[in-house]
Amino acid sequence: SSGSALVPTGGATLTFPFQYLPSFSIIVRDLGGSNFTGASLSKFGSGTDYLVRPMTMDLSSSLTVYLGNRFELRNGIDFRDFTRALGGTTLQHMFMGSELTAFQYFRARLGMMHGYPTAGIGFNTPKANIDFATYSEEFNDRLRTVRDVRFTFQFTFNFFK
């Protein structure tokens, strides 16, 4: 499929100001549905098949536990497309993970996505951040049948800090 479209997305997060800082979020993607029409902005696909993507809603929640003065543990769970507009099993839409932050400079992450483990580490300084992660995508409509392992590396430089 190819084409181009304006894809409006919006969301809100509510964080309560008491122990563990519980937060709840909702995100609406493809508000009203997205119709990809016309010429694609880049050469991809046949140029004649146009995608219609339905509106989806995501729910998420997290808790933050402070482990002394220099450590914090953030635990989160996401339910992507909880309206099931895109189909699939419940576990294909559930994502969960934890992130341990040490001294505001080091982060270690573990989680689950599509029934597969995810992991990552990050180093943060006032001027730059480096992150490395691995995760898996499912290429089938059933859980844990066609796995594609991916790796990401990100370097961010902060010009204005």
Side-chain angles (χ1 to χ4, degrees):
S1 296
S2 62
S4 58
L6 180 63
V7 181
T9 299
T13 299
L14 177 63
T15 302
F16 293 98
F18 46 82
Q19 187 174 15
Y20 305 124
L21 297 173
S23 69
F24 302 92
S25 301
I26 185 167
I27 298 171
V28 179
R29 300 178 195 279
D30 299 299
L31 188 63
S34 296
N35 295 312
F36 289 80
T37 60
S40 175
L41 297 176
S42 64
K43 282 285 193 192
F44 182 78
S46 67
T48 59
D49 301 327
Y50 301 119
L51 175 68
V52 176
R53 199 163 52 191
M55 182 175 78
T56 62
M57 291 186 189
D58 305 345
L59 296 176
S60 64
S61 181
S62 70
L63 296 173
T64 303
V65 179
Y66 291 97
L67 308 167
N69 289 335
R70 301 290 183 181
F71 295 90
E72 70 179 53
L73 180 66
R74 180 168 290 126
N75 302 296
I77 186 165
D78 295 334
F79 191 173
R80 304 258 176 102
D81 184 27
F82 77 91
T83 57
R84 300 281 178 83
L86 300 175
T89 66
T90 300
L91 281 178
Q92 284 177 305
H93 297 276
M94 299 295 291
F95 302 87
M96 60 191 80
S98 296
E99 179 180 71
L100 177 67
T101 302
F103 299 96
Q104 296 181 347
Y105 294 107
F106 175 75
R107 298 178 191 271
R109 303 170 195 92
L110 291 173
M112 286 295 262
M113 177 176 150
H114 297 296
Y116 298 114
T118 64
I121 59 171
F123 301 95
N124 303 326
T125 69
K127 289 290 184 181
N129 303 332
I130 295 175
D131 288 293
F132 176 77
T134 182
Y135 65 99
S136 298
E137 287 282 345
E138 181 61 51
F139 277 143
N140 203 335
D141 60 353
R142 296 192 348 240
L143 187 65
R144 298 180 64 112
T145 54
V146 182
R147 181 181 186 181
D148 181 42
V149 179
R150 299 178 181 191
F151 299 91
T152 65
F153 175 78
Q154 180 178 358
F155 175 77
T156 308
F157 189 77
N158 302 314
F159 287 103
F160 302 106
K161 266 192 172 176

